[in-house]
Amino acid sequence: MSKIKVMDELLANKIAAGEVVEKCASVVKELVENSIDAESTIIKIDLIDSGIKEIKVTDNGIGMVREDAELAFFRHATSKIKDESDLYRINTLGFRGEALASIASVSKVTLKTSTGELGTIVNINGGIVESITNGDARKGTIISVRDLFFNTPARLKHLKSLQSELANITDYINKLALSHPNIKFTLTNNEVVVLNTDGTGNLLKTINAIYGTEVSRNMFEVTCENDDYEVSGYISAPFINRSSRNHIVTLVNGRIVRNQELNRIINDGYHSYKPDNRYPIVVLNIEVDPSLIDVNIHPTKMDIKFSKFDGLIELISNMVKSKIGKKNLIPKIEVKDEVVIEKPKYEEITLDLERVSEPEVYYNPIEINTSLIDTQVDEDIEEKGERMPEIYPVGLVHGTYIIGQNELGMYLIDQHAAKERINYEYYKEKLGNPKNDSISLLFPFVIELTNNEFIIVKEKLDVLRSLKFDVEEFGVNSVIIKSHPAWLPVGYEEVSTRKIIEIILNTGSNFSIVKFNEKLAITLSCKLAIKANENITLEEQEQLINDLRKCDNPFNCPHGRPTTIFYSNYDLEKLFKRSGFDKIV
Ligand code: ZN
Ligand code: ZN
């Protein structure tokens, strides 16, 4: 190639680098995807300073022969298409060919690669090949990208903080590990291991490597299928949740995709089992005939459209709801095992006469985990068809928490949350049931409003009427209620009506009857639930627990807070250091 042509190409690469390389994660993505394409089963990513100083990817893939290694950094260098039916590969190729050349044009690259015979080492500085020499015969590829943007300092400033560059890379590698549980991924930053998966193909083990045991122990395996789709994966118990939607991962035929509608359907399956602003951890793979999907690939994201989408949504929605709807979801307080730590050496030479006797061992402070109650117990309950076991009240703490017990252990029940749940299911049913009667008032009551409020309510009178209120304008800025729906709580008719009008006022223009009913049910249930610090009798406690057990979801208040927490006999014994000792001591 002539020198001028090379310089032209170099410029084009640098310009492209601005678009392709937005952050260190873009470089990592390019390099690691190349490793995956090379059929690697072990991929190690080593970063220095979150990749800004160096990104090194080591794999055990098929490697490259010298000719390919030389060509890899030229624009439009096409890597071989192995499987023409692989739609993803074809769509990404244009981007792929250019990306490596672009990266090399704004960094210092060393590529060591071998197919198992004499290897090749290519050194590139700012896009210019400095040397090509013989390397060793270790099969696979090691590529190192150093000093990203060293020759375009303006772009360097676009990189984010070390922390957010690392967060982006970690997030990307986590998702890649979830979509390739059969590849062993190791990610380090400044020699500290950030992620290490085992590559055995076990998705739950990969989840464990990313999120830890508390999460992996509380994941439910799910599968379902219809004529077009096959879905499998893991969904978290509702109390395992995160503040971002980012942990809902959906794969299609093993590739990560982003489809907001799909994420929303999955999240909706958890409705009222968790707070609305928290999101579950989910990994679902959808197997589908490629002709039923339309993939739109952009270098930084991948969106997808499905044919027969309604069928898929129904399938996934039912799968999530029925899985959660069958489980006993009382979180169990779990005491971690004591760990004996050797006494530090320096203690031995400390002469502290005040100290009476030193303990021989040090215990870890009690660490508490939440998890589901033991699988065995869980299954027994499922068989009996009861999601919440029988619990017998013992007493009330601070007029707030009921202490309960059964043969399995001790329970704490938040009486407000419990009552709220019972009320919520009651009102939700009533609100959704149009056959309800109304009750005429002997003494109609008048509700006064400000003139602004009156204008809104006047427009929404039909909503009140559909809820079985007999309501009319009354004088200036007032409405008169002559009859009300029968389900309003006795003694609270006027308060409830005011509450309903308040919600109508706040709902504004984007009024939806479903959302309105939901909000109304939640508000009424909270307002009319027993407040904390209200002492109820043992009989009332028993009634409350029995009503709670009859609920569709007895485990959470309508805001998603837990109603009940469980301490097993075993964990109580551990807490009091009884386990391992004679229990009578
Ligand atoms: Zn409340
Ligand atoms: Zn609540």
Side-chain angles (χ1 to χ4, degrees):
M1 208 184 289
S2 78
K3 206 168 182 187
I4 290 168
K5 251 187 151 178
V6 170
M7 292 314 286
D8 275 354
E9 172 144 348
L10 205 57
L11 187 64
N13 287 342
K14 271 193 181 177
I15 292 166
E19 290 160 28
V20 176
V21 187
E22 290 173 325
K23 46 197 176 191
C24 294
S26 329
V27 178
V28 171
K29 182 175 191 290
E30 178 59 27
L31 303 184
V32 173
E33 283 183 4
N34 283 341
S35 292
I36 294 173
D37 285 351
E39 298 164 19
S40 309
T41 56
I42 299 173
I43 300 175
K44 188 162 190 280
I45 304 106
D46 297 301
L47 311 173
I48 298 178
D49 292 350
S50 306
I52 292 172
K53 272 242 146 314
E54 183 180 17
I55 296 164
K56 187 167 102 179
V57 176
T58 307
D59 71 41
N60 66 344
I62 54 175
M64 283 181 265
V65 295
R66 173 164 297 206
E67 195 197 353
D68 285 349
E70 285 171 24
L71 277 174
F73 297 96
F74 288 100
R75 214 167 153 76
H76 310 303
T78 28
S79 55
K80 50 235 140 178
I81 300 170
K82 277 172 247 150
D83 180 1
E84 299 227 8
S85 69
D86 190 337
L87 159 99
Y88 301 98
R89 182 185 298 277
I90 291 164
N91 277 330
T92 48
L93 262 179
F95 166 61
R96 287 291 180 83
E98 290 166 34
L100 208 51
S102 298
I103 291 166
S105 72
V106 292
S107 65
K108 299 167 185 170
V109 175
T110 302
L111 170 76
K112 295 181 189 174
T113 186
S114 165
T115 56
E117 283 154 35
L118 181 67
T120 309
I121 303 175
V122 183
N123 270 303
I124 297 176
N125 191 335
I128 295 164
V129 178
E130 291 198 318
S131 67
I132 300 177
T133 52
N134 290 339
D136 62 40
R138 174 201 167 275
K139 192 180 166 203
T141 300
I142 303 172
I143 184 164
S144 141
V145 173
R146 295 177 307 282
D147 301 331
L148 193 61
F149 296 128
F150 79 101
N151 54 355
T152 50
R155 299 268 350 149
L156 187 61
K157 287 186 200 128
H158 285 269
L159 292 180
K160 304 259 167 54
S161 68
L162 289 179
Q163 250 172 339
S164 84
E165 289 294 331
L166 182 62
N168 277 325
I169 294 172
T170 308
D171 183 54
Y172 173 69
I173 299 295
N174 283 348
K175 288 190 173 149
L176 217 50
L178 291 171
S179 57
H180 295 89
N182 50 344
I183 297 178
K184 177 175 172 54
F185 287 95
T186 307
L187 171 65
T188 71
N189 182 45
N190 297 338
E191 296 184 357
V192 177
V193 176
V194 181
L195 176 71
N196 191 13
T197 68
D198 72 355
T200 56
N202 182 327
L203 181 58
L204 192 58
K205 279 188 172 176
T206 311
I207 292 171
N208 184 60
I210 294 170
Y211 293 106
T213 30
E214 188 177 354
V215 170
S216 65
R217 287 178 55 195
N218 293 302
M219 298 294 288
F220 303 139
E221 191 172 7
V222 285
T223 55
C224 62
E225 61 183 303
N226 65 15
D227 289 345
D228 305 302
Y229 295 99
E230 241 181 87
V231 183
S232 64
Y234 289 89
I235 66 173
S236 66
F239 60 85
I240 297 289
N241 52 56
R242 294 287 186 268
S243 61
S244 122
R245 285 181 183 81
N246 192 31
H247 305 277
I248 302 176
V249 178
T250 44
L251 314 168
V252 171
N253 297 340
R255 293 280 184 147
I256 294 165
V257 298
R258 223 179 284 179
N259 183 295
Q260 285 186 352
E261 182 67 2
L262 216 50
N263 289 359
R264 195 181 61 74
I265 290 301
I266 295 167
N267 188 52
D268 281 356
Y270 285 79
H271 181 62
S272 103
Y273 279 93
K274 58 166 186 58
D276 282 345
N277 59 354
R278 306 283 299 179
Y279 302 91
I281 297 173
V282 171
V283 186
L284 286 186
N285 185 35
I286 301 163
E287 290 291 333
V288 56
D289 185 325
S291 65
L292 282 180
I293 50 176
D294 176 16
V295 186
N296 176 14
I297 295 174
H298 177 268
T300 56
K301 64 166 200 271
M302 185 156 142
D303 204 358
I304 191 161
K305 285 196 180 73
F306 300 87
S307 347
K308 308 196 184 174
F309 192 48
D310 290 347
L312 177 65
I313 280 189
E314 202 191 321
L315 187 68
I316 290 181
S317 173
N318 288 342
M319 178 186 78
V320 173
K321 284 180 188 158
S322 77
K323 193 69 185 184
I324 293 170
K326 263 188 228 141
K327 293 281 176 183
N328 177 338
L329 296 170
I330 302 175
K332 171 190 167 193
I333 301 298
E334 207 168 60
V335 185
K336 279 197 177 167
D337 284 327
E338 286 164 345
V339 177
V340 178
I341 303 166
E342 254 184 74
K343 212 159 55 169
K345 284 258 165 32
Y346 62 82
E347 285 277 334
E348 285 167 18
I349 51 163
T350 308
L351 284 175
D352 188 349
L353 299 176
E354 294 297 310
R355 196 170 293 171
V356 183
S357 70
E358 282 181 18
E360 284 302 299
V361 290
Y362 291 78
Y363 292 106
N364 259 356
I366 293 160
E367 283 186 66
I368 288 174
N369 264 349
T370 44
S371 84
L372 293 180
I373 70 178
D374 304 327
T375 321
Q376 187 53 49
V377 176
D378 200 18
E379 276 165 6
D380 286 348
I381 286 159
E382 270 184 55
E383 267 167 39
K384 274 193 275 169
E386 291 174 350
R387 299 176 67 202
M388 195 170 193
E390 278 191 77
I391 299 170
Y392 309 97
V394 177
L396 192 61
V397 182
H398 295 316
T400 304
Y401 306 109
I402 298 168
I403 301 177
Q405 65 172 342
N406 63 16
E407 68 284 4
L408 304 170
M410 182 180 89
Y411 298 80
L412 288 179
I413 298 164
D414 179 329
Q415 62 161 328
H416 176 75
K419 189 69 188 164
E420 221 177 36
R421 163 54 62 176
I422 297 161
N423 288 345
Y424 169 72
E425 294 200 0
Y426 173 80
Y427 291 124
K428 223 181 144 181
E429 209 224 280
K430 296 294 169 192
L431 287 165
N433 188 348
K435 281 176 290 182
N436 276 311
D437 294 335
S438 64
I439 292 176
S440 293
L441 288 159
L442 213 49
F443 303 103
F445 53 80
V446 173
I447 292 177
E448 287 179 25
L449 301 155
T450 68
N451 49 2
N452 275 347
E453 289 170 345
F454 184 65
I455 291 165
I456 301 170
V457 171
K458 230 165 72 173
E459 283 171 9
K460 297 278 168 67
L461 285 181
D462 52 328
V463 174
L464 283 169
R465 285 178 188 137
S466 73
L467 291 168
K468 301 285 181 197
F469 282 98
D470 180 354
V471 56
E472 265 154 45
E473 290 176 45
F474 188 73
V476 186
N477 297 339
S478 298
V479 291
I480 186 164
I481 309 289
K482 292 176 178 168
S483 69
H484 65 73
W487 50 262
L488 284 192
V490 179
Y492 293 89
E493 294 87 349
E494 198 170 334
V495 183
S496 311
T497 307
R498 283 181 191 279
K499 197 70 228 167
I500 291 167
I501 289 177
E502 208 176 284
I503 291 175
I504 291 179
L505 288 170
N506 291 333
T507 323
S509 53
N510 26 354
F511 185 86
S512 118
I513 193 78
V514 177
K515 277 191 189 145
F516 171 77
N517 283 349
E518 169 76 11
K519 202 169 167 191
L520 180 60
I522 291 179
T523 312
L524 285 180
S525 62
C526 182
K527 292 283 176 230
L528 303 171
I530 323 154
K531 292 289 153 233
N533 303 312
E534 187 177 323
N535 284 299
I536 58 173
T537 65
L538 209 59
E539 286 72 36
E540 287 169 318
Q541 294 167 29
E542 211 176 292
Q543 186 61 51
L544 186 70
I545 293 170
N546 285 335
D547 290 346
L548 182 64
R549 289 181 64 230
K550 284 183 208 136
C551 287
D552 283 340
N553 169 11
F555 310 111
N556 305 90
C557 85
H559 305 94
R561 289 198 298 113
T563 59
T564 309
I565 286 169
F566 174 61
Y567 292 75
S568 72
N569 290 330
Y570 176 72
D571 283 294
L572 286 170
E573 281 170 13
K574 271 209 304 203
L575 272 171
F576 287 101
K577 315 279 181 220
R578 278 168 166 254
S579 51
F581 297 93
D582 187 338
K583 291 199 180 127
I584 305 155
V585 173

